[in-house]
Amino acid sequence: MSAECLIRRGDMEDLDDLVRFQVAMAAESEDKGLDPQTLAAGVTHLISRPLEGFYLVAEVDGRAAGSLMVTFEWSDWRNGRFWWIQSVYVDPAFRRRGIYSALHQHVKDAAHADPESCGLRLYVEQENSGAQATYLALGMVQTHYRMFEEEF
């Protein structure tokens, strides 16, 4: 990466960038439109409740270059907390410059520092082979689980 990348916690000053990133991510990865007002309320909710999770923002030359969200899941099997990496997005102008790798390493380091952490998890679109290759290269492994949901 040519420019210095600063990784920091996202806050309310990042709301517009976080919403813009998520709208773009949903359109790119799932061809899905998101309602910006609902999304802004969701981002605001998490920022105001750090026990539920947080956002990380990668900044290059004072500009938001990418972000991700971390939420938590308690595992009774492990008596520990999984850190779920979600809502990953890197601005197209900053791709292939190590932005996601820097974000991922920051999450990994923070999770290792949490004595209750038992690992990292994420989910990825089945057809997103580029993202899957990135996750494998960063040391993650594909699990045997399939994800199911029921939306309300």
Side-chain angles (χ1 to χ4, degrees), residues 70-130:
V70 172
T71 59
F72 306 112
E73 172 195 9
W74 186 257
S75 172
D76 55 351
W77 286 13
R78 295 165 184 85
N79 189 31
R81 178 181 15 251
F82 276 105
W83 288 40
W84 276 87
I85 298 172
Q86 301 178 68
S87 300
V88 173
Y89 189 76
V90 175
D91 186 295
F94 294 96
R95 291 184 183 162
R96 310 301 306 159
R97 293 172 55 184
I99 300 296
Y100 177 73
S101 294
L103 285 162
H104 185 92
Q105 188 62 50
H106 191 92
V107 172
K108 190 173 180 176
D109 291 346
H112 275 293
D114 175 0
E116 291 188 329
S117 173
C118 63
L120 301 177
R121 283 186 169 166
L122 58 78
Y123 55 87
V124 61
E125 285 291 315
Q126 293 180 32
E127 306 303 316
N128 194 341
S129 57

Side-chain angles (χ1 to χ4, degrees), residues 5 15 40 42 51 58-59 83 103 112:
C5 178
L15 180 64
L51 293 178
E59 203 175 89
W83 288 40
L103 285 162
H112 275 293

Side-chain angles (χ1 to χ4, degrees), residues 29-41:
S29 66
E30 299 183 38
D31 195 28
K32 186 175 189 171
L34 297 179
D35 175 57
Q37 287 183 306
T38 301
L39 186 51

Side-chain angles (χ1 to χ4, degrees), residues 5-43:
C5 178
L6 169 71
I7 307 296
R8 60 175 177 76
R9 288 274 179 127
D11 59 30
M12 286 306 296
E13 291 182 15
D14 299 303
L15 180 64
D16 291 342
D17 286 326
L18 292 169
V19 169
R20 178 174 54 87
F21 285 172
Q22 292 317 299
V23 167
M25 184 270 300
E28 286 179 27
S29 66
E30 299 183 38
D31 195 28
K32 186 175 189 171
L34 297 179
D35 175 57
Q37 287 183 306
T38 301
L39 186 51
V43 170

